[in-house]
Amino acid sequence: MSDFSEELVRPTTEDEQGETCVLSGTGMCFPWLQKHIETVGKTLVATGGKREKDFAQTTSACLSFIQEALLKHQWQQAAEYMHSYLQILEDSDSNKRQGAPEIIWRLGSEILYYHPKSSLETFNTFADRMKNIGVMNYLKVRSDLCDGGLFSSLWQISLQHALYLLHHGLLEDANRNLSQAETWRYGEKSSSKEVLINLIQAYKGLLQYYTWSKKKMELSQLDEDDYAYNTASQNMLNHSWKTSINLCALIQIPGVWDPFVKSYVEMLEFYGDQDGAREVLTNYAYDEKFPSNPNAHIYLYGFLKRERAPREKLISVLKLSIEKNMILHRKKEEHHKLGLEVLFGVLDFAGCTKNITAWKYLAKYLRQTLMGSHLAWVQEEWNSRKNWWPRFHFSYFWAKSDWKDDKTLACEKALVAGILLGKGICFIFFFSGHGF
Amino acid sequence: MDFPSSLPPSLFMTGPLGLSDVPDVSFMCSWRDALTLPESPPQASENGAPHLAKGLLWEPDTPGPLPLLPPGPDPWDPGLTARDLLFRGGYHFRRQPRAVLDVTEQLSQFLWDHGDIAFAPLGKLMLENFKLEGAQALYFLIHFCPWAYLSYRQRRFSILGGPVLATSLARLLGELLHEELAARWEQLLLDDAFTGGALAWVPGRMPGAGQLVYPAGGALDRLSRGPDFQKVSLTPGSEPRVLGDPGHIQLRGPVRQVVTRTVQGEGKAHRHLRPLLTDLLPDHNPDLLCPSALLAVRSDYHCALWKVGKPGQPAPLQVLQVEKGATGISLSPHLPGELTVCSRSGAVCLWNPQDGPSPPHGWPVSPRLRQVYKDPETLVFRDPSPWRWADFTAHPRVLTVGDRTGVKLVDTQGPPGCGLLLFRGGAEASCQKGERVLLTQYLGDCSPESLQPTFHLVCTQFSLYLVDERLPLVPLLKWNHGLSSTPVVAQLLPPPRPGCPRPLLLAGQAGELQLLHITGEGASTPRLAGPPQSLPSRSNSLSAFPLLEPKSQWRLQERLSAPTIGLAATVLPSASTPVLSLFQLSAAGDVFHQRLHLQADPRPDSPAPTASWTPRATSRCSRWLKTLLEVPLTPPMWAAPTFSHRRLLGSFESREVEGKVPEGLRTAMAEGRLLQHRDLGLLPTREQPPAPEPGPEDELSERLEAAWEGQVAAWWERRQGGSSGPGKQPKRHKRRTQLSSTFSSLSGRLDLSDATSPPRSPDRTVPEARPQPPVTPPSQELTQGPWAEGIPSERQQTLRDYMAELPLQGDTPGGASAPSSQTSSIRGTSSRQQTLRDCTVKLQLRGDTAGGASMPSSQTSSVRATLSRQQAAILSGSQPLRKKPRMGF
């Protein structure tokens, strides 16, 4: 056999979980390559004896049966296959044995989630068993090489179990679950572990926030002079302190943390820490390491509005959030012009074509701008749009359908079209036919 | 267009693919997506998960899709498979099985099959450098190089030139073949020609009526007809009806992708706003809201746009030639008639046929094109694939540009190259090592029903991602689709009922179909609603066909498992239950149809109902099958080269006078019938036809015979002892070997006769010299002797030609690659001699084919020496000389 074929097709990292996926010469990985190789036959080679090979084949067949049953919504059947699949925990291949709990959890939880006869108890038992197996696996192996993976799967099981409980309204149980997961801190410290610990803690914090906000609700119903009020508020204070500890660590790590940020800021605001809240939100919105998240700007805008920040500042935050979407980078200072720009920008989007408020404001602003003889402003915005806005907004079809659906919208659009295009276009023709 | 008020938490890691140190926290199971964090403290609920429709299930009416149209009249060939390309021997002691291209076998097969192609051009190239005396001989040599046995001079040349020609040839051919095989293999693993799908549904005016547009013609990858337009009428209660014959458009290239988009409000408005084609429209319909559609077609090097109006033939709008090859085309959902076209050169163009002045008739010549992006490099990291894809976004002036490594948002109004990455193949999306983008699609359309118009679908070989263009780099949803082939088409359908999640169809090339339900109304994030579902594929329909004899059954099976290249679906509004009509197009050109209905009353505890075949369905399948079996099979891609025997025969006709010419043989040969002893005018020495004896491979009949006589055990013992004992023919010898030994015995006899005549120069005798095969029983020799007798040399030539054409596969690799050390060790055992003999056959007949090619002249001479020694041994042996020598070489 010539050498090039070796170069052309080489297997993926042989030490990794024994995936049936092979990289090609381009570096691409084909999950279906195995199938091709198997059609040629004789090439299914595994280390170890015949028994191991047979077992590997049987387990992979079993896995595909489970997946097929899941995709056909045959939960009963999938559960039966799953019962057999558990044998993989006895696999002599330690790599496979370690990867097994994760697969079993993923498929098993899916089956139990949809199975008509499963209940909360079954799910809990299953999750606890899986966690036990994970811990036992760790105790057996105890090598630093694999504990990262082991722990991540353990924590994931805990996290998902907690979410499941949360959705069933069992906050206490969910909290206990997460606290338990928090204690699994064996082995060396690593950055990935830190992140996971933070995540677990943040979810815990969120659970505590839920309790807190429940208490807040109760508090709002109490009279301020009441004796009970003091106790309750003291209670809340304690809670919030614990929660903020839990939440603030994760928020520093780049990511999308909307629910965490929202609840954290709400608590900070409640206790009057405006500066802290502003810092958190500004950081969340403007830190370069974070993904660009429109919500971050919305939260900041909302906060500033609550704080009664000056109008300029509000608009600049708003503008920035729109620019983030539009990839348009222009700098203008004038207030009125900014508004025009924002409105044109908003109406560019396919999802906003029927936004009556935007059209109303655009009509108003256009009129004001033209009366203030700032024709150039409109011209500037219009130039880039004149070759497609007519087809996009002011076609005959839209005229007719707008007229049918929402007459106010149609009128506003007609007004804008009249200003921008003149009276010669069909859009106006349509309306002139309807008595305008 | 509200942004989700809070997004699901996810880590944001930057880095390369496969950086899975930190696990994929947010996405694991389909049910996980249902568990978005509650906005407010959740209330304790009794049982079951909220927010999740458990019983969202589309039930198929039949266990598999049914053929909609009769199979096309052209034969279909499934093409290469992995079996044709991969090395069949196992690589042992490896943890991972690996794919190894079988170049040796392919090369040797190629040399056998296409010797003329392999060698003739080389000869022509070398012609100028040769100033040999016999220009005529050289001419012959060049033209019949692999069969250069015509004269001794040529043969000598062949022996001399062997080493030189062999190495250069092997290198040249090897390189080319490698390139070709590697390309084919890559294509087999990933064929991106049909990305986007080549089947489209153009809805008609009435709900349920419409046209299917698809490429027809047997070989989609040869010159094929252009798109066919088949009118179909769908009714919720029954199978679709095909109305009339399809209309055709003839194209000059295979169709790879078909895209349609309904244009609303065609008519006066457009005329006013410089419309598309006002001049081209044959009859201008006064009806203002008649739905018409635009149809964009991508071929390998051309893209074209049609307009499908209500009546008659679609009207052509414009054609665009893409020099480097087009990889993707999409139609704008916002501005009618605007398209994006991607080329292999890395360029993305915005194509606006209606901007240009359209000539009054015929094909407009210069389409209005604007290059909006060009980068021959890939976006995120280096990947060799030239595949590019472009689509639209919620902003009509912003496009997505995708390649194997990521997807970028490009502002067509901004400076060139500006934009930001929407999807990055890397740690941001928790991509695996080796993961590549295979399909991207804009999921928004004009109707903002229940899903935001800002979503994009990105498919890799492992997962499906849903990305919001307002939140670049962070996928909102990730699901492991587990398809066992390339995802080709994805289609988002309108909700079957108001308030229902939207079905998203995903089709793999191997025919798998998956259906996902995606919700995300208003300010909530998109997520999977309910578990994904797999739909029946075409191969599930096999049970609807009657059972056939194996060959036809195999053909049917092959046809049903032809790759999927197109998918179209439409949801029919129905009073009771919504019906999903699903059309699939296969690479064989078959259109299959499947009807599914939404499970009326989802009861979670009832088992999933199973559909069964109706008599109508099976009769339809039988009819289809009958037509299919009437289609002739593909003619073989290649037939053994036929040489100008007639010419040769003609030129040698005059020499036939010498010696006795058995007329019987001549007529037998001319008529191609069985040669009989009386034809030769001889008494039969034994009443045995020259058919090969049942060989050792014919164990079955032997065993059956033995079993019939009740002596299987004895037979088995005999066999066991026999095969291990020495002197017995190894059982792997095939009938072909026998044939070749027949042949060599034939020429051996002739050479024997030569040996008895006065000695000649070794060059003349030796290459033809064959040892008597000791393995062949003498009886066979005897019977075959007369068969060869009295054949004129020219005819022997022809005969030998024929023999040489017989593939000697069993021994070819051995013979072809036998290194010199092995050649010398060949002598000795009888089985080796067999190999040697085969090797010599080739050596002689194809002076410089593979067999001879790898043997430098020194080795050849050593072989020759061996041969003559063996010959001498035979001469001194007990073999009787039966016939007087007549002629030799």
Side-chain angles (χ1 to χ4, degrees):
Chain A
M1 228 10 61
S2 53
D3 291 340
F4 77 83
S5 42
E6 295 273 313
E7 287 163 28
L8 183 77
V9 185
R10 62 197 159 74
T12 180
T13 42
E14 301 208 355
D15 50 331
E16 271 174 28
Q17 69 254 350
E19 276 287 327
T20 53
C21 152
V22 186
L23 290 168
S24 82
T26 58
M28 188 172 165
C29 190
F30 296 102
W32 46 85
L33 181 62
Q34 184 68 26
K35 200 180 67 189
H36 282 303
I37 294 176
E38 270 164 26
T39 59
V40 179
K42 284 206 287 186
T43 27
L44 194 78
V45 187
T47 45
K50 187 175 179 306
R51 207 180 160 272
E52 280 80 1
K53 204 165 86 180
D54 291 351
F55 186 61
Q57 271 181 316
T58 312
T59 46
S60 83
C62 186
L63 188 63
S64 64
F65 284 146
I66 298 174
Q67 281 163 342
E68 204 183 307
L70 281 179
L71 278 173
K72 288 188 175 151
H73 298 200
Q74 296 164 338
W75 314 116
Q76 188 70 47
Q77 215 155 355
E80 278 160 30
Y81 292 134
M82 195 69 213
H83 191 77
S84 313
Y85 190 72
L86 296 177
Q87 288 297 328
I88 200 177
L89 291 168
E90 299 297 315
D91 198 317
S92 57
D93 185 339
S94 66
N95 267 336
K96 279 191 186 153
R97 208 170 49 228
Q98 279 166 37
E102 201 179 323
I103 302 173
I104 292 176
W105 166 251
R106 201 162 57 197
L107 297 173
S109 64
E110 184 121 353
I111 295 169
L112 287 182
Y113 192 84
Y114 295 113
H115 199 290
K117 281 181 192 150
S118 93
S119 63
L120 193 66
E121 286 72 43
T122 357
F123 197 94
N124 283 344
T125 321
F126 176 66
D128 288 337
R129 274 233 181 113
M130 289 316 296
K131 279 182 255 179
N132 279 343
I133 288 169
V135 172
M136 260 148 62
N137 255 346
Y138 169 74
L139 293 176
K140 248 190 252 173
V141 184
R142 264 183 188 276
S143 96
D144 286 339
L145 274 175
C146 56
D147 72 355
L150 262 180
F151 272 102
S152 70
S153 71
L154 257 177
W155 276 323
Q156 288 204 18
I157 294 173
S158 294
L159 206 52
Q160 292 185 30
H161 188 195
L163 281 168
Y164 181 87
L165 292 170
L166 177 69
H167 269 267
H168 284 79
L170 301 165
L171 262 72
E172 285 301 310
D173 289 357
N175 200 10
R176 198 172 45 245
N177 234 298
L178 291 174
S179 306
Q180 188 194 22
E182 228 183 330
T183 58
W184 294 323
R185 297 199 199 196
Y186 307 105
E188 283 176 26
K189 274 194 174 182
S190 67
S191 62
S192 68
K193 261 184 178 175
E194 282 302 301
V195 170
L196 275 168
I197 289 278
N198 285 339
L199 198 69
I200 298 261
Q201 281 174 342
Y203 274 96
K204 240 180 91 180
L206 199 70
L207 292 180
Q208 284 158 356
Y209 160 80
Y210 288 145
T211 328
W212 177 84
S213 81
K214 210 168 140 194
K215 287 215 168 78
K216 198 177 97 176
M217 286 270 285
E218 287 167 10
L219 198 65
S220 66
Q221 284 154 10
L222 285 175
D223 192 7
E224 272 197 36
D225 301 330
D226 202 336
Y227 170 73
Y229 181 85
N230 276 331
T231 347
S233 68
Q234 190 61 40
N235 227 333
M236 274 180 68
L237 205 67
N238 288 342
H239 252 288
S240 98
W241 180 76
K242 268 199 287 180
T243 311
S244 60
I245 294 266
N246 278 330
L247 285 175
C248 69
L250 183 75
I251 289 171
Q252 309 299 321
I253 302 167
V256 180
W257 309 124
D258 289 358
F260 303 118
V261 169
K262 255 168 91 174
S263 45
Y264 187 44
V265 166
E266 191 188 329
M267 284 200 286
L268 287 177
E269 272 188 278
F270 187 82
Y271 292 106
D273 188 359
Q274 305 296 334
D275 293 336
R278 191 182 306 110
E279 199 194 319
V280 166
L281 285 173
T282 318
N283 183 51
Y284 191 53
Y286 294 109
D287 193 331
E288 286 297 312
K289 289 198 288 291
F290 280 67
S292 85
N293 181 351
N295 274 341
H297 297 271
I298 295 169
Y299 297 158
L300 183 62
Y301 178 79
F303 174 77
L304 291 175
K305 212 171 160 186
R306 282 196 297 273
E307 226 191 3
R308 303 196 200 296
R311 205 175 153 80
E312 261 92 58
K313 200 171 178 187
L314 282 178
I315 286 187
S316 79
V317 170
L318 193 67
K319 182 172 166 269
L320 199 79
S321 77
I322 287 169
E323 271 181 7
K324 283 265 175 193
N325 284 329
M326 294 193 303
I327 330 160
L328 304 170
H329 299 278
R330 276 170 230 148
K331 283 200 169 66
K332 284 290 166 291
E333 54 300 299
E334 279 189 73
H335 186 100
H336 199 84
K337 198 175 167 196
L338 266 177
L340 204 63
E341 215 173 294
V342 166
L343 282 169
F344 266 110
V346 163
L347 288 171
D348 276 349
F349 286 93
C352 302
T353 48
K354 297 202 175 194
N355 191 330
I356 177 97
T357 328
W359 283 111
K360 243 184 201 150
Y361 272 97
L362 184 63
K364 193 177 133 197
Y365 269 55
L366 277 175
R367 238 176 321 175
Q368 282 177 5
T369 319
L370 293 177
M371 278 194 289
S373 62
H374 285 298
L375 189 68
W377 293 359
V378 181
Q379 209 90 50
E380 198 178 315
E381 295 299 322
W382 181 241
N383 270 344
S384 62
R385 292 179 174 90
K386 67 180 173 199
N387 61 345
W388 59 278
W389 262 44
R391 272 183 292 152
F392 186 52
H393 285 306
F394 308 128
S395 72
Y396 196 90
F397 167 75
W398 283 120
K400 192 164 173 177
S401 95
D402 286 346
W403 181 251
K404 218 169 78 188
D405 298 343
D406 187 351
K407 292 204 171 46
T408 341
L409 174 71
C411 294
E412 292 298 336
K413 274 177 84 173
L415 191 59
V416 174
I419 295 169
L420 293 172
L421 293 164
K423 293 210 185 264
I425 66 152
C426 61
F427 198 80
I428 307 294
F429 275 153
F430 178 82
F431 291 100
S432 57
H434 284 76
F436 279 83
Chain B
M1 199 168 71
D2 301 327
F3 195 73
S5 63
S6 79
L7 298 164
S10 61
L11 274 172
F12 185 69
M13 300 275 297
T14 49
L17 295 161
L19 196 76
S20 54
D21 192 19
V22 174
D24 208 352
V25 184
S26 42
F27 320 100
M28 267 188 88
C29 330
S30 72
W31 62 269
R32 166 63 186 80
D33 280 309
L35 301 183
T36 46
L37 285 167
E39 295 278 309
S40 54
Q43 305 300 311
S45 62
E46 291 303 299
N47 188 31
H51 307 305
L52 196 73
K54 274 196 172 185
L56 208 58
L57 182 72
W58 286 91
E59 239 178 277
D61 283 8
T62 47
L66 292 173
L68 181 73
L69 303 165
D74 306 302
W76 175 71
D77 181 60
L80 283 179
T81 61
R83 189 180 274 273
D84 300 322
L85 291 172
L86 291 186
F87 181 57
R88 260 167 256 169
Y91 256 59
H92 294 279
F93 315 117
R94 283 249 165 84
R95 190 183 172 77
Q96 291 283 337
R98 47 176 73 181
V100 180
L101 290 184
D102 194 353
V103 188
T104 317
E105 196 187 322
Q106 300 293 342
L107 186 64
S108 71
Q109 199 59 50
F110 179 81
L111 290 175
W112 280 111
D113 290 351
H114 303 280
D116 45 349
I117 299 168
F119 301 103
L122 186 81
K124 275 177 198 153
L125 279 176
M126 290 172 62
L127 185 60
E128 289 172 16
N129 301 321
F130 280 81
K131 294 276 181 260
L132 291 186
E133 252 184 326
Q136 181 66 26
L138 194 65
Y139 175 81
F140 262 92
L141 179 81
I142 283 155
H143 283 84
F144 303 98
C145 201
W147 302 274
Y149 41 74
L150 288 177
S151 76
Y152 304 114
R153 205 183 294 140
Q154 285 161 20
R155 200 179 311 123
R156 232 175 284 144
F157 175 81
S158 140
I159 290 164
L160 276 173
V164 184
L165 289 179
T167 45
S168 51
L169 258 185
R171 198 178 304 136
L172 248 170
L173 268 179
E175 270 169 27
L176 290 174
L177 194 68
H178 159 220
E179 211 173 283
E180 177 66 20
L181 283 182
R184 290 295 184 106
W185 174 241
E186 290 290 324
Q187 201 190 5
L188 192 74
L189 282 179
L190 177 66
D191 187 3
D192 54 23
F194 291 104
T195 307
L199 179 69
W201 169 256
V202 184
R205 258 204 313 178
M206 306 296 290
Q211 290 187 73
L212 280 177
V213 188
Y214 56 94
L220 297 167
D221 51 337
R222 266 188 263 142
L223 290 188
S224 79
R225 294 210 301 269
D228 267 19
F229 297 85
Q230 176 66 62
K231 288 200 180 68
V232 176
S233 148
L234 298 167
T235 39
S238 64
E239 287 294 315
R241 275 187 307 131
V242 175
L243 308 171
D245 285 335
H248 309 303
I249 292 177
Q250 197 83 20
L251 287 188
R252 273 191 319 221
V255 172
R256 302 295 188 196
Q257 193 191 345
V258 179
V259 192
T260 57
R261 195 69 81 169
T262 322
V263 181
Q264 253 121 11
E266 185 57 47
K268 254 198 323 200
H270 268 159
R271 185 201 293 243
H272 200 88
L273 295 169
R274 286 239 247 115
L276 211 59
L277 275 212
T278 323
D279 306 323
L280 284 179
L281 285 176
D283 51 341
H284 212 69
N285 202 311
D287 185 2
L288 293 171
L289 282 179
C290 90
S292 65
L294 286 172
L295 172 74
V297 166
R298 169 171 66 89
S299 168
D300 284 338
Y301 295 96
H302 292 90
C303 294
L305 185 67
W306 278 269
K307 188 187 151 69
V308 190
K310 200 172 43 154
Q313 193 81 342
L317 296 190
Q318 259 178 346
V319 180
L320 179 75
Q321 187 179 355
V322 187
E323 225 163 79
K324 288 274 163 63
T327 57
I329 188 168
S330 14
L331 268 165
S332 169
H334 313 299
L335 305 175
E338 195 168 75
L339 298 111
T340 58
V341 178
C342 315
S343 135
R344 279 183 196 280
S345 63
V348 175
C349 292
L350 204 59
W351 182 23
N352 231 326
Q354 69 207 85
D355 275 0
S358 28
H361 26 244
W363 293 102
V365 200
S366 61
R368 197 49 92 79
L369 264 186
R370 193 157 70 87
Q371 183 174 302
V372 291
Y373 181 82
K374 165 127 192 179
D375 189 3
E377 299 289 313
T378 40
L379 290 169
V380 182
F381 52 87
R382 202 177 288 266
D383 187 272
S385 171
W387 179 82
R388 297 290 184 278
W389 197 259
D391 213 331
F392 291 85
T393 66
H395 192 293
R397 297 289 97 185
V398 178
L399 301 179
T400 57
V401 174
D403 61 33
R404 292 268 176 258
T405 64
V407 182
K408 193 180 183 180
L409 290 168
V410 174
D411 185 358
T412 59
Q413 291 174 327
C418 98
L420 44 95
L421 275 175
L422 174 67
F423 178 87
R424 202 181 144 101
E428 286 87 347
S430 310
C431 290
Q432 291 184 36
K433 200 173 174 186
E435 192 162 346
R436 297 288 186 277
V437 176
L438 300 180
L439 181 71
T440 79
Q441 199 167 332
Y442 172 50
L443 293 183
D445 42 28
C446 284
S447 55
E449 288 172 276
S450 74
L451 205 61
Q452 299 291 332
T454 48
F455 292 128
H456 295 259
L457 178 81
V458 177
C459 270
T460 66
Q461 65 269 48
F462 301 110
S463 301
L464 171 151
Y465 301 85
L466 209 59
V467 198
D468 191 323
E469 63 190 61
R470 296 166 296 178
L471 182 70
L473 296 180
V474 186
L476 290 180
L477 187 153
K478 176 179 179 178
W479 182 66
N480 186 354
H481 59 64
L483 286 180
S484 68
S485 60
T486 326
V488 186
V489 200
Q491 196 183 353
L492 186 72
L493 296 166
R497 279 196 200 120
C500 258
R502 296 183 69 167
L504 174 73
L505 278 165
L506 185 67
Q509 200 165 34
E512 308 121 300
L513 280 175
Q514 286 184 352
L515 186 86
L516 292 88
H517 300 277
I518 293 180
T519 57
E521 306 109 46
S524 65
T525 49
R527 54 189 169 80
L528 288 180
Q533 190 188 342
S534 72
L535 304 181
S537 68
R538 264 171 294 122
S539 31
N540 287 107
S541 303
L542 193 66
S543 56
F545 292 91
L547 198 65
L548 299 163
E549 40 102 5
K551 207 176 160 192
S552 305
Q553 183 78 11
W554 173 245
R555 194 173 158 197
L556 172 67
Q557 230 167 323
E558 214 172 44
R559 183 95 174 189
L560 289 180
S561 53
T564 299
I565 58 166
L567 177 77
T570 163
V571 175
L572 290 181
S574 165
S576 51
T577 52
V579 170
L580 178 67
S581 237
L582 200 68
F583 300 94
Q584 301 178 39
L585 175 69
S586 81
D590 300 326
V591 180
F592 275 61
H593 173 258
Q594 169 105 55
R595 264 161 44 92
L596 302 118
H597 58 266
L598 198 62
Q599 209 177 38
D601 180 26
R603 276 166 305 166
D605 49 341
S606 67
T610 46
S612 58
W613 294 110
T614 58
R616 273 188 68 171
T618 45
S619 74
R620 172 184 265 202
C621 287
S622 315
R623 275 202 308 276
W624 186 84
L625 182 65
K626 203 168 155 242
T627 331
L628 175 72
L629 293 177
E630 279 162 12
V631 174
L633 281 171
T634 339
M637 291 284 280
W638 176 85
T642 47
F643 304 103
S644 45
H645 296 202
R646 295 254 167 254
R647 193 157 60 91
L648 288 177
L649 288 177
S651 63
F652 294 121
E653 200 70 32
S654 57
R655 283 169 58 185
E656 276 183 31
V657 284
E658 57 175 278
K660 187 185 159 202
V661 183
E663 284 302 318
L665 175 70
R666 282 188 70 170
T667 44
M669 288 295 279
E671 288 167 19
R673 63 177 166 79
L674 183 67
L675 182 66
Q676 286 169 349
H677 282 280
R678 60 182 152 77
D679 292 332
L680 301 174
L682 291 169
L683 280 173
T685 39
R686 196 168 294 192
E687 286 302 329
Q688 196 177 352
E693 233 180 18
E697 91 282 6
D698 201 1
E699 272 168 34
L700 182 66
S701 49
E702 259 180 51
R703 200 179 76 210
L704 285 176
E705 240 172 66
W708 194 249
E709 288 160 19
Q711 293 167 339
V712 199
W715 172 82
W716 178 244
E717 261 174 33
R718 203 165 62 236
R719 217 182 87 76
Q720 288 292 87
S723 62
S724 58
K728 189 86 185 205
Q729 203 168 19
K731 61 175 176 178
R732 65 184 176 85
H733 282 250
K734 297 263 154 70
R735 202 171 296 228
R736 272 194 221 104
T737 325
Q738 286 187 331
L739 270 175
S740 71
S741 73
T742 311
F743 171 55
S744 51
S745 74
L746 165 116
S747 55
R749 184 156 308 285
L750 292 167
D751 293 325
L752 280 182
S753 59
D754 262 2
T756 53
S757 60
R760 302 180 187 188
S761 72
D763 269 343
R764 285 197 68 181
T765 51
V766 169
E768 285 297 327
R770 302 289 161 76
Q772 274 292 344
V775 284
T776 327
S779 64
Q780 203 183 336
E781 285 302 300
L782 289 174
T783 49
Q784 281 165 355
W787 191 56
E789 274 171 357
I791 305 171
S793 61
E794 303 78 29
R795 292 302 163 89
Q796 282 171 7
Q797 206 68 63
T798 319
L799 201 60
R800 219 172 306 145
D801 269 354
Y802 167 68
M803 290 303 203
E805 281 314 311
L806 289 174
L808 296 165
Q809 273 174 345
D811 293 307
T812 301
S817 58
S820 57
S821 61
Q822 277 180 14
T823 319
S824 55
S825 67
I826 277 172
R827 315 158 208 171
T829 62
S830 56
S831 61
R832 289 288 173 83
Q833 279 175 351
Q834 182 79 31
T835 323
L836 179 66
R837 227 180 312 116
D838 292 334
C839 180
T840 335
V841 171
K842 273 182 282 171
L843 184 69
Q844 283 181 301
L845 297 177
R846 319 206 146 185
D848 39 6
T849 48
S854 57
M855 271 195 252
S857 57
S858 59
Q859 268 95 51
T860 320
S861 61
S862 84
V863 172
R864 235 180 288 149
T866 324
L867 287 173
S868 49
R869 216 177 307 146
Q870 282 171 336
Q871 192 187 343
I874 290 155
L875 279 174
S876 61
S878 57
Q879 287 283 340
L881 286 176
R882 278 195 56 258
K883 194 74 185 163
K884 264 199 79 180
R886 278 180 20 79
M887 59 198 330
F889 289 102

